[in-house]
Structures are given as structure tokens and as C-alpha cells.
Amino acid sequence: MERLDETDEQILAELAEHARATYAEIGQRVSLSAPAVKRRVDRMIADGVIRGFTTVVDPNALGWRTEAYVQVFCHGTIAPAELRAAWVGIPEVVSAATVTGTADAILHVLARDMRHLEEALERIRASADIERSESIVVLSRLIERARP
């Protein structure tokens, strides 16, 4: 993988902020022609810098307004791949990560309401060899940034 230069980083920032912008629009902002922007984007895709494109749906549009972070504590040692397999099919789990500290993993969970959250937590706990979980319900978001 080639090292990214400042122009590549500017293109990535533009794509992150304005994903539907044309190559010509991005080119105007970074002082390149549309074909030059396309070549750089194609290279970054081929190099794995850009891993995909997606649509970000506002969970509120689905009525999923209850948000929680769930720390998961497993019995013994469970491989990350096993945990991923256990949770990938649970739509309320919007992200999951293994972590340092006493918990084995942390999940970001969205639900319609507390009852829906409780149902999702029951499925999460039943999906792997989990000893216990601790849930932290989000009251309000103070800062939310798109990932670089």
C-alpha cells in the first residue's frame, strides 16, 4: 500500500463529508481534475484504504431511539471470531469490539424502547457463553463525528 499524501487525505475527507459529490466537485475542492480524483479514488479502493461505500440510516427514522453500550463478560476465553459470529445476526447490535479491562467485549446497541432493548439483551446473552453483562443507557449524545 502506498503512503497517502495530503491530496489523498483531502479527497478522503471530502468523501467522508460529501459522499455523493461528483469527482468534478471533489476535484474543485482539492485542485485536481475529475479524472485525477477518480484515479486516486480507484487506487485507494485497490489498496484497501477505502474498504467500501455504505448508506448511513438515521436510527430515529426506524424508531430506534433507545441506545445503550453493553459490556459483556464471558465464561473463560472465547475467540473474537466466535463472538462476532454470535452477534452479527442480531440487528440491534450496531457495533461490537473486544476490549481491554475486565469486560471481554463492548457492544453498541440500538432499540425502539426499553422493552425492545431488554429483548435484544436476552438474545445477546443467550448467543454465546456469557457470564454476565452490564448495560449503560445513553441519555443524550454530546459529540458525534464521522470516522476518518
Side-chain angles (χ1 to χ4, degrees):
M1 177 184 332
E2 281 186 47
R3 176 154 159 58
L4 299 180
D5 64 17
E6 186 177 327
T7 303
D8 290 332
E9 291 177 7
Q10 289 174 339
I11 291 169
L12 289 172
E14 287 296 326
L15 285 171
E17 187 68 27
H18 310 284
R20 294 185 53 134
T22 65
Y23 292 134
E25 290 168 336
I26 294 170
Q28 283 182 318
R29 293 186 190 111
V30 300
S31 302
L32 288 177
S33 68
V37 171
K38 182 183 182 326
R39 280 192 301 276
R40 284 175 176 257
V41 169
D42 288 346
R43 178 182 42 80
M44 288 188 282
I45 291 169
D47 287 349
V49 174
I50 297 174
R51 296 189 314 198
F53 298 91
T54 188
T55 300
V56 178
V57 177
D58 181 355
N60 289 318
L62 300 173
W64 290 23
R65 293 179 176 87
T66 301
E67 180 176 15
Y69 289 91
V70 181
Q71 294 182 92
V72 176
F73 303 82
C74 300
H75 288 110
T77 302
I78 298 179
E82 188 178 338
L83 293 174
R84 183 187 187 289
W87 299 324
V88 72
I90 301 174
E92 293 87 354
V93 176
V94 295
S95 70
T98 55
V99 294
T100 62
T102 57
D104 293 292
I106 190 162
L107 310 179
H108 183 195
V109 179
L110 294 177
R112 286 183 301 279
D113 51 32
M114 291 304 284
R115 182 180 181 101
H116 183 200
L117 177 61
E118 184 176 22
E119 292 166 0
L121 291 172
E122 288 173 12
R123 283 184 278 125
I124 289 165
R125 287 191 293 260
S127 65
D129 191 14
I130 295 172
E131 178 182 336
R132 67 186 174 90
S133 66
E134 293 181 9
S135 302
I136 303 162
V137 175
V138 174
L139 299 177
S140 62
R141 291 191 152 277
L142 303 176
I143 298 171
E144 188 170 5
R145 295 184 178 115
R147 288 196 237 172

